Amino acid sequence: IGAIQRGLLTLEEQGGNKFFGEPMLNIDDLMQTGSGAMRGRGMINVFAADKLMNSPRLYASFLLWLLAELFEQLPEAGDLDKPKLVFFFDEAHLLFNDAPPALLQKVEQVVRLIRSKGVGVFFITQNPTDIPDSVSSQLGTRVQHGLRAFSPKELKSIKYIAETLRSDGSIDVEEEIKNLGVGEAIVSTLDEKGIPTFARKIMVAPPRSQMGVANISDIQFAINNSQLNQKYAVAVDNFSAYEAIMQQKIQAQESQGDEATQRGRSSSDEEGQSGSSGGIFGALLSSVSGSSRGSSRRTDSGLDRFTKNMMSTVGRELGREITRGIFGTRRR
């Protein structure tokens, strides 16, 4: 429990309290198609994680939750010609840095099995060695951009990367990786039989969009005109489980207070009735009956029980003597 609490505290310090807000992200919203002139075309969803990346634990938790949610909710799709959904995770090293073995095992399991749900996953990082071998071995498509080596460690990394790409000897993969320019890449994919193809040098077609950081006004315009703006723009403050538990606790305390007040009134009424009966007969009748009102509601001490037993015995003996005297049966 202490370990869980420390883990939750770390998430909370990085802004994890907002992670559990409402409305919850519906994964079906990620697989919408366009309307009008864009009818039937897939939609590109962008998670702006520029601030979230400064909180690596929370960022990793979000990515893992998203993959797990897709794996658990999407039906089996088999071997599709095209995936129904493709994820591109930028700064993927944040997901694996200082990750415990249990987390790495979960990521490996999800990446390995999520393909049967029709989902493709791409991890984007500056250095492929940032991704653990158990995870990278599950990735069939590799797009390697240029890397520069200024130290023996970097040279060793480039050599390791080149060895993971299948080569037919037509190109020196290691040298090509070090000499790749802007817009160039070494690519290896899977063929129709699932066999990795030979690495080839290609030119990447530039996107038909703005190259660079997007303006705040452009981002706000896209948000305001999004189909999902009305659904996710306003946070919902639902009646939480914590609030329900606190309400039950308050109601229980109020109920106990009312019962205590009623018991106090009942006890004072009984004392008044006992005092009004007065005299020895009141005490004798109470002793003979052998009962004390309200005794079922409280636990008597040993001294109280001893005193009641003595009074009960004395009361019974006095009662017999008085009865015999009245009916003339008293012995002399």
Side-chain angles (χ1 to χ4, degrees), residues 143-145 180-187 201-207:
V143 180
Q144 179 62 56
H145 292 278
L180 289 174
V182 178
E184 297 178 339
I186 300 292
V187 176
K201 180 180 177 180
I202 65 167
M203 294 292 296
V204 179

Side-chain angles (χ1 to χ4, degrees), residues 121-332:
V121 180
F122 284 81
F123 293 105
I124 304 173
T125 182
Q126 295 181 359
N127 196 327
T129 57
D130 294 334
I131 301 177
D133 294 339
S134 59
V135 177
S136 61
S137 61
Q138 304 297 327
L139 306 178
T141 300
R142 296 170 184 258
V143 180
Q144 179 62 56
H145 292 278
L147 292 175
R148 302 295 180 259
F150 300 100
S151 66
K153 183 178 180 180
E154 292 175 341
L155 284 172
K156 186 177 180 180
S157 297
I158 293 177
K159 183 177 181 180
Y160 170 78
I161 295 168
E163 291 176 350
T164 60
L165 296 171
R166 188 183 180 193
S167 176
D168 59 354
S170 60
I171 61 173
D172 188 339
V173 178
E174 182 177 350
E175 289 298 321
E176 289 292 345
I177 291 176
K178 291 186 290 185
N179 296 320
L180 289 174
V182 178
E184 297 178 339
I186 300 292
V187 176
S188 175
T189 62
L190 299 179
D191 61 14
E192 297 179 353
K193 298 181 179 180
I195 302 174
T197 59
F198 295 111
R200 289 291 183 265
K201 180 180 177 180
I202 65 167
M203 294 292 296
V204 179
R208 300 176 184 177
S209 62
Q210 176 183 347
M211 295 293 291
V213 181
N215 296 325
I216 300 299
S217 58
D218 295 337
I219 296 176
Q220 193 61 47
F221 178 80
I223 293 175
N224 295 336
N225 291 274
S226 173
Q227 300 177 3
L228 305 176
N229 185 38
Q230 295 181 353
K231 183 175 181 180
Y232 295 105
V234 180
V236 178
D237 186 10
N238 288 330
F239 189 67
S240 64
Y242 172 77
E243 293 172 333
I245 293 173
M246 293 303 297
Q247 185 179 23
Q248 293 177 1
K249 184 177 180 180
I250 294 174
Q251 292 176 352
Q253 291 176 350
E254 292 177 350
S255 177
Q256 292 176 0
D258 294 340
E259 292 179 359
T261 303
Q262 293 177 0
R263 286 197 299 267
R265 292 176 180 175
S266 176
S267 176
S268 61
D269 293 342
E270 291 172 359
E271 290 176 358
Q273 293 176 3
S274 175
S276 63
S277 61
I280 190 171
F281 278 100
L284 290 175
L285 289 174
S286 177
S287 300
V288 172
S289 63
S291 63
S292 178
R293 295 180 184 178
S295 61
S296 60
R297 297 179 183 174
R298 60 180 182 270
T299 303
D300 297 330
S301 64
L303 181 59
D304 292 337
R305 290 194 297 271
F306 175 76
T307 303
K308 288 183 177 181
N309 291 334
M310 291 295 295
M311 290 296 295
S312 180
T313 303
V314 174
R316 284 195 297 271
E317 292 296 327
L318 287 175
R320 292 194 188 101
E321 292 297 325
I322 293 173
T323 303
R324 290 168 183 169
I326 293 174
F327 293 99
T329 59
R330 183 174 181 181
R331 295 180 181 177
R332 297 184 180 177

Side-chain angles (χ1 to χ4, degrees), residues 27-28 31 69-76 84 117 119:
I27 60 174
D28 292 334
M31 293 179 284
E69 195 75 6
L70 289 168
F71 177 73
E72 293 175 1
Q73 294 193 22
L74 291 179
E76 290 287 339
K84 63 176 69 174
K117 307 285 186 173
V119 178

Side-chain angles (χ1 to χ4, degrees), residues 61-110:
S61 299
F62 169 72
L63 296 183
L64 182 60
W65 169 84
L66 194 58
L67 289 175
E69 195 75 6
L70 289 168
F71 177 73
E72 293 175 1
Q73 294 193 22
L74 291 179
E76 290 287 339
D79 188 11
L80 300 178
D81 293 336
K82 296 180 180 180
K84 63 176 69 174
L85 181 67
V86 179
F87 270 99
F88 294 88
F89 289 146
D90 197 9
E91 303 296 341
H93 64 277
L94 297 177
L95 180 61
F96 303 107
N97 283 352
D98 302 325
L103 176 60
L104 294 178
Q105 184 179 2
K106 184 64 177 179
V107 173
E108 178 187 354
Q109 178 186 10
V110 172

Side-chain angles (χ1 to χ4, degrees), residues 2-12 57:
I4 294 175
Q5 289 178 337
R6 288 190 295 272
L8 292 176
L9 180 60
T10 302
L11 291 179
E12 184 178 3
R57 291 293 182 89

